[in-house]
Structures are given as structure tokens and as C-alpha cells.
Amino acid sequence: MKNFLILILLSFQGLMAQVQFEAKVSKTTLGLNERLRVDFAMNIDGDNFSEPSFEGFRVIAGPSQQVSQSWVNGRSSFEKIYSYYLLPNQKGTLVIKQASIEYNGQVYKTSPIKINVTSAIEQPKDPNDTSVSAADNIYLVADISKTSPYINEPITVVYKLYFSYNIGITNWRELNKPKYNDFWSQNIDIKQLVAEEGMFKGEKYRYVILRKTVLYPQKSGKLTIEPLSLDIDVQLPTNRRNMFGQVILTEGNKRVSAGAKAITVRALPEAGKPEDFSGAVGSFDFKVTPSKTNLKNGESLDLNVSVTGKGNMKLFNLPKPVVPNALEMYDAVHTDQVNTSLAGMSGKVADSYTIVPQYKGNYPVKPLRFSYFDLGSGTYKTISSPEIMINVLDGPTDTRTADNLNSKKNTVSIQEQFKYIKLKTKLESTKKDDFFGSNLFLGLLFLPFLIVPIIVLLRKKKEAIDGDVVGNRIRRNNKLAKKYLSEAKKQINNKEPFYVALEKAMHNFLKAKLHIETSEMSKDNIKDLLLTRNANPEVVNDFISLTENCEVARYAPASSATIQNDYDKAVSIISELEKQI
């Protein structure tokens, strides 16, 4: 009997060992614009297949199921495969997590698989493919104004998306934003995307300027601009035509990258570099201007140090004036009026110092020097301001000598070592009041008796609210309408979730305002109820039309402008109905 049980256990373990469930991928290293096939294969007919989340990927096809069974020499074999096609959303090491099935009451899982995603690669064209494809009809290009600038010399990067007349573009998403390491950068706003015509690779293309950026390199050597990568939805013509003779379009997808760009930055020359050079590069004018030079006792003046011109206006320091000890100078107030265009920064930067004289007399402000590297001539230039004489017409006379000033400074420093802790005393009585019988004691004693009636009132109010079934339903529908309208705004870049949320928001708005259920929400019933509530017929027709459009729009092509227009229209219609009913 014991041997028989051991034989059964060994047979059961042998059957268990035969169950195979594993994940297979077409490749473990792929570019950002390549597809990945993932197969989950099992040699038994498992139940409750649970796919992984595919975090970091976008599922473009699947799951598709294949089942095969064969008999060879009296032995049977079985295989079931769930297949997916994925596109990576980012570079780096991504993990396809575990899938699971159930078989004979036990759960089986696949092993995780690591996938290395690199930058987008150039894919060869199939010479036998004669149909129109997105690969040869859409390009993303980064135009760089200069590839060998000096440090702090402006260069521009303009990203253009070229596409041929054979295809249409419905939407795009940024996969990787360009990174400007070791550059000072500023994007230039593009108010509206406009398609223009231009030559590319010797042929006419349409193009759209997606991004404009001004860069100022901050160190010399070879610097790299990380690429911009896009995921683009396109419409491609086919060889088929509809009953009216029009070419049938098919939806497609294309990932493009501008590619990494190398910039060789030249260091500023050391020959002739002034000692007070603070990094200014461009073409500038330098001025030091006092608000006045003749002052009376108690008056002050503003000394304005300014630089105007074209260059790296925000990337250098202005020289600081040096004034005599008899003039008290406060910290500068910095202002800038700088505009940034494709040509770089231009405008004015200034430091304003407030100066207050202490004694009567004439006091010189030494000349200031401002040095910069001139890109036009390739040399350093220095501008010096004239000496400024400040005349204090009246006030006390400075009779201090150099020795007296030094002795006074020493005296002040010695006196400042010892200071009074307090000049006035504040005495407090040592007699303390007893807590028992005090106002605080009485307040804490009677506080529970005051809280009880408040609790009773709050409880009755809550019971009344809970008993108001109709009111609760209205409030719940109002909350749901606001929730789904907010969700639609968040999903404004995702067409299908946007229209689902928008449709739910409008339905819950009707439930809250008309006190109806989903079963009563027919087109005619909604129209009659809204009109009886004094709603504007035109607004009612717009509401019903937009509600019907939400279902159709989820499966029809729609641009970001159309989605934004539908959202604005829904908000406007709901606001109007809120006022009217």
C-alpha cells in the first residue's frame, strides 16, 4: 500500500512538471520607433488568463489567440498562445511583468522579461512595398543656426515637421523632450501652428514649426542636444476607392525623432582678456548716470548703472561703484527689460544704487569699467564711464582725519563687544491665582453641557438629510456631473476617454436638473422636459446634438482643436441651461 501511494505521488508530480506557461518576445533590444511582439504560450488549456499591465508600452494590437493541437505517433500535443504588439513610450530598461493563468485549481505565472529601449533608429524600406507609407512621407528635422559658437554666443534650434501631400496628420504626442545640458535655454512661444510649403530633399513638402528655442552654451567643448521624439497619428491613402470614387484612407502611426545634435563650442580667447571681464558676450553700450549731482543736507540721489544692447543680457554681472566713506550707499535694485527672439536676447539691464551723503563737501565717484567680448570683431572691448563729482551744498562738516576715523572704528568695535541686555525692567507678581474657581475652570466644567444640544441638533439635521432621498439623488448627480466634466478636461488629449467622460457629465446633469433616471432619458422626453422648464429651444437642440455626437466622435477622427471646441461648447451649454431651468 505504501509503495502504491508513492507511485501515485510521483505520477502526480510528473503531471505537474509537464505544465508549461512562458512569455516570449521578438527581441530584447529595440529602438523607440520599433514594434515588439510578446507571446504568452501554454501547453495546457488554462483558464482566467490575466495579462500584465505593460507599463512603459502602448498596446497597438492584441490580444490575438491561437490554439493548435496535434497527434503524432499516438501522442497528443496542445498549445495556446496570446499575442500582443507593443510600442515603447520611453527609453531605458522596461519590464514586461508576469501574466497568470489557472489550471486545476493552481495559479501559474510567467517570468518577468527585461526590454532595453534605445533611441529611434532608421528603418530600411521594403523594396517590394509599393503602397504609400508614413516612413518616406514624414520627417522631423532640427535646424540649428550655428554648430560652432563661442561660449555665451546665441544659437537657435527650430524643430520642423515635414510631411508630404500624400498623407494627413491628425494628432501627435511628445515621447521625449529635448534636453539642453550645459546650455542656458529659453523657448519662444508659438501662438498658432500654421502649415507652410517648403523644399525638403529636393521635393515640395508641407511643414509645421513645432518648437523654437534659443540656446547660450555655458562651457566649451563638444556638447550634445538630446533629440525630440514624437508619436504621430497619420492618415494614409490606399489603393481602394469608395462608391463615389474617393480614395479610402486608413489610420496609421509613425514615430519620428529629430536625432541628437552635436555642437562644438569654442572657448573665448585668453589673449587680451581684461581682468574685470564678467562673461558678457555681444554688442553693448554702458552708462553710469546720477539722478543729480548737487544735493542739500538730508537729500539722496540714485546712481544708475546700465547696459543696453544685444547679447547674453541675463548672464553677466554689472560693475559695482566705489564711493567715499562720507557717502552711504545702499544695496542695488536690479531691473531688466530683455526680449528674447530667434536672434537672441536684447534690451537693457540696470542696477540702481541709492546714495545718501553724511557731510558737506565734494565727493568723487570713481570711473567704472565694463568689458565684453564683441562677436562682430572677435575681440574684447572695454567701456569706461567718466568720473562723477557729487556736491553736497550744506550740512555738517567732516572734520575727521584718517587717524580719528581709525580710532573711532576701533572704539565702536570695542563698545559693541558689551551691550546692555535690557534698559528697562518689567516686574511681575509672584502671587499666582488658583485654578479652582477660575474662569478657565468654570468654562471647562460647563462645556460638556453646552456641547450636548449642539450634538443633538447636528444629529437631527443629518437624519433629515439622510431621509431626503430625492435631494440626495440630485446632489449625487450634481457631484457626478462635475466629476465627469473635470475628468473630461483632464483627458482632453485622449479622444475616447474624453468623449466617454463628457457624455457621462451631460447625462448626470440632466438627472440632477430634471429628476429623471437613465431609463427615462429618451430624446423626445428630454426635449419636452427642458422646454417645460423654460429652456431656450436653440440651447436644447445644441445639448441633444452634442450628446448624440459624443458616441460618434469616440470612433471618428478628431483633432485637438475639435475636442477643445466640444469641451468649450459643453461647458457653455450646461451654464446656459443652469441659468434657464
Side-chain angles (χ1 to χ4, degrees), residues 318-489:
L318 296 175
K320 184 176 181 179
V322 178
V323 298
N325 292 331
L327 300 179
E328 185 176 0
M329 185 174 69
Y330 294 87
D331 291 338
V333 176
H334 183 79
T335 58
D336 64 70
Q337 300 173 355
V338 179
N339 296 320
T340 304
S341 64
L342 283 179
M345 289 186 282
S346 61
K348 177 181 179 180
V349 293
D351 285 342
S352 180
Y353 297 87
T354 299
I355 297 177
V356 180
Q358 303 297 313
Y359 301 98
K360 178 181 177 181
N362 299 326
Y363 303 100
V365 177
K366 296 181 179 180
L368 297 183
R369 288 165 44 92
F370 175 73
S371 300
Y372 66 94
F373 182 75
D374 184 28
L375 292 172
S377 61
T379 59
Y380 293 96
K381 294 184 178 181
T382 300
I383 303 175
S384 298
S385 67
E387 181 181 82
I388 299 173
M389 184 65 69
I390 298 175
N391 304 316
V392 183
L393 303 178
D394 57 6
T397 302
D398 188 5
T399 58
R400 301 170 299 170
T401 62
D403 294 336
N404 290 335
L405 289 174
N406 292 334
S407 63
K408 185 175 180 180
K409 290 180 180 179
N410 293 335
T411 304
V412 170
S413 63
I414 293 173
Q415 289 177 351
E416 289 181 349
Q417 294 179 8
F418 303 97
K419 291 184 177 180
Y420 294 105
I421 298 176
K422 282 188 177 181
L423 298 177
K424 294 182 180 181
T425 58
K426 183 178 180 182
L427 302 178
E428 294 182 359
S429 175
T430 57
K431 183 180 178 180
K432 301 295 183 181
D433 295 333
D434 293 334
F435 175 69
F436 183 77
S438 65
N439 292 335
L440 180 60
F441 172 79
L442 295 175
L444 294 176
L445 180 64
F446 291 105
L447 183 62
F449 298 100
L450 296 176
I451 292 177
V452 170
I454 297 175
I455 294 176
V456 173
L457 291 175
L458 292 176
R459 183 174 180 181
K460 287 184 177 180
K461 186 175 182 180
K462 184 178 184 302
E463 290 176 352
I465 293 174
D466 293 341
D468 185 9
V469 178
V470 176
N472 287 335
R473 187 172 69 245
I474 293 173
R475 284 188 288 272
R476 183 175 66 253
N477 290 332
N478 263 326
K479 290 181 180 178
L480 287 174
K482 293 178 180 178
K483 171 187 173 183
Y484 286 119
L485 196 59
S486 176
E487 179 66 21
K489 187 174 182 180

Side-chain angles (χ1 to χ4, degrees), residues 146-187:
K146 195 170 187 178
T147 56
S148 59
Y150 281 108
I151 292 178
N152 274 319
E153 180 181 359
I155 62 173
T156 58
V157 183
V158 179
Y159 294 93
K160 296 180 180 179
L161 182 64
Y162 286 91
F163 53 100
S164 69
Y165 290 87
N166 295 328
I167 67 173
I169 295 177
T170 58
N171 195 15
W172 63 77
R173 295 163 293 277
E174 286 190 358
L175 297 176
N176 282 337
K177 293 185 177 181
K179 296 179 181 179
Y180 309 111
N181 297 326
D182 299 315
F183 289 92
W184 183 94
S185 63
Q186 181 168 335
N187 291 326

